[in-house]
Amino acid sequence: MALDPLLLYTIKINAKNSQLAMTFGIYNFLGMIASIIAPIMTGFLIDVTKGMSISFYVAALLLMASLVCFNFVKYEAERD
């Protein structure tokens, strides 16, 4: 929950003003795709491993990977 506002702010800074709505739309679309795929992937992992702990480890790994990728974003001066 704390990462989402940072990602939205990063998108706002780096997207062109003429493409801001489309950029937020794509971001929202990808988030909705993730909310559909995540339960399916979690259920598959639970079926394969017969335990829920692996799902938490995968979620933590994905969050760590996204935080590392987020550090490589190059910020530009804020646009008007």
Side-chain angles (χ1 to χ4, degrees):
M1 291 178 70
L3 186 62
D4 195 44
L6 295 174
L7 291 173
L8 289 173
Y9 181 70
T10 302
I11 289 171
K12 182 189 177 301
I13 288 175
N14 292 315
K16 295 179 183 176
N17 285 339
S18 61
Q19 297 176 341
L20 196 57
M22 182 185 223
T23 307
F24 280 132
I26 291 171
Y27 175 76
N28 190 30
F29 173 74
L30 293 174
M32 289 295 105
I33 293 295
S35 70
I36 293 169
I37 292 174
I40 295 169
M41 190 173 95
T42 302
F44 174 75
L45 288 172
I46 289 171
D47 287 344
V48 169
T49 62
K50 306 292 187 222
M52 290 183 64
S53 61
I54 190 69
S55 299
F56 291 106
Y57 294 135
V58 169
L61 183 67
L62 289 172
L63 185 59
M64 295 272 195
S66 66
L67 287 172
V68 168
C69 291
F70 186 67
N71 285 328
F72 291 110
V73 173
K74 298 206 184 310
Y75 291 99
E76 296 178 12
E78 191 167 344
R79 295 182 174 97
D80 291 329

